[in-house]
Amino acid sequence: MIRIERVHKTFRGRDGAAVEALRDVSLAVADGEFVAIVGASGCGKSTLLRLVAGLVPPTDGRVVLAGSEVTAPRAETAMVFQAPTLLPWADVLRNVTFPLRLMHRTAPDTEDEARALLATAGLAGFEARLPRELSGGMQQRVAICRALLQQPQVLLMDEPFGALDALTREEMSLELLRLWAARRMAVLFVTHSIPEAVLLADRVIVMSPRPGRVVDVIAVDLPRPRSFEQEGSDEFQRCTRRIRSHIFGERNARAA
């Protein structure tokens, strides 16, 4: 579904100096696969998502989605950011349907589908509420429903739970897995949390400090559906140790 082929990305700073964000990054994501990306702050994780989304072009290399090169934002792709970015004056239902209305892609049953999706996310009865009337976790569920209503082939998620408290973050992780299992699109998920990456993903991509390069690809051999009880398993511990060894070094990984 996604092919990233020898991608480089360099930005120009305010002083005109070149800042190399990504260097020679190649990876592939299959249809229906859940792939997490981890690495130190500033290693280019978010930049990589924006390249796949068509929001910025690569300096070199190319991104291919469903067989064609990405040169601009595509209808097959939806993105969820760390902040829910909801319209403060619109109720939940209108927030969820907004992108389809903006793209003139609504159908007679669009609102019914939105209501069904909100119910699946535990938000039945909140359709007429404004964002300020919702908790942070509920707002993020609305943002995820908004993305899923577009029926994307690819869902890009840039630290979507980073601003949530620990308990809400755990709840949202399981909620995301449940929604993804029902629709099974390809997911590229950026996170700073190593346990979160292992819990959610089929594979975890580990990136080096800037300029970001792929230093390891770790297959997570845990059965689905996933649960927090699996965090005590040998496989879960193996994956987290291997990721930490890249990010913190062998000695610090053992201490962690």
Side-chain angles (χ1 to χ4, degrees):
M1 181 55 65
I2 306 169
R3 293 203 321 273
I4 299 169
E5 301 176 349
R6 301 187 69 91
V7 160
H8 299 252
K9 182 61 182 178
T10 300
F11 295 98
R12 289 286 172 185
R14 292 182 181 179
D15 59 358
V19 178
E20 189 179 12
L22 297 170
R23 178 185 296 173
D24 197 24
V25 174
S26 296
L27 63 93
V29 180
D31 188 16
E33 186 179 22
F34 199 123
V35 174
I37 304 175
V38 299
S41 295
C43 73
K45 303 184 298 295
S46 295
T47 297
L48 191 59
L49 284 197
R50 284 161 173 75
L51 288 166
V52 176
L55 298 175
V56 294
T59 304
D60 197 8
R62 65 177 192 157
V63 178
V64 178
L65 174 62
S68 60
E69 187 169 355
V70 175
T71 57
R74 301 265 290 270
E76 303 98 320
T77 304
M79 193 159 183
V80 179
F81 298 93
Q82 181 172 348
T85 61
L86 303 179
L87 302 173
W89 59 85
D91 62 27
V92 165
L93 185 62
R94 289 185 64 79
N95 263 291
V96 171
T97 59
F98 176 73
L100 292 183
R101 290 187 283 111
L102 185 66
M103 295 184 288
H104 304 290
R105 288 175 50 200
T106 56
D109 61 348
T110 293
E111 284 202 2
D112 290 337
E113 289 184 9
R115 291 179 186 275
L117 193 54
L118 287 165
T120 301
L123 292 170
F126 290 89
E127 296 87 350
R129 299 288 184 93
L130 294 174
R132 66 173 180 268
E133 300 176 284
L134 307 179
S135 69
M138 294 169 76
Q139 289 183 32
Q140 198 62 290
R141 290 186 194 187
V142 174
I144 293 171
C145 288
R146 179 179 59 191
L148 293 178
L149 187 65
Q150 300 171 52
Q151 298 185 349
Q153 293 177 307
V154 173
L155 180 61
L156 305 173
M157 308 190 80
D158 191 3
E159 297 188 63
F161 309 144
L164 303 179
D165 64 83
L167 292 178
T168 304
R169 185 169 187 152
E170 290 192 354
E171 179 187 9
M172 287 300 301
S173 294
L174 297 180
E175 187 68 29
L176 172 60
L177 285 179
R178 192 167 64 83
L179 292 169
W180 169 74
R183 302 211 168 203
R184 285 285 176 154
M185 74 290 291
V187 176
L188 204 52
F189 183 96
V190 165
T191 179
H192 276 107
S193 170
I194 294 171
E196 183 175 76
V198 175
L199 178 71
L200 295 176
D202 298 309
R203 290 185 297 142
V204 179
I205 309 298
V206 185
M207 297 189 67
S208 70
R210 191 173 64 215
R213 296 171 292 104
V214 175
V215 296
D216 201 359
V217 180
I218 299 166
V220 181
D221 188 19
L222 290 172
R224 295 190 185 274
R226 301 274 174 85
S227 72
F228 289 108
E229 294 177 356
Q230 292 169 303
E231 290 188 349
S233 69
D234 291 342
E235 173 64 7
F236 192 95
Q237 296 302 317
R238 178 192 71 82
C239 292
T240 57
R241 282 196 303 270
R242 183 165 160 183
I243 296 168
R244 288 188 176 111
S245 71
H246 288 294
I247 297 175
F248 305 118
E250 290 289 348
R251 181 178 301 176
N252 290 335
R254 288 194 295 270

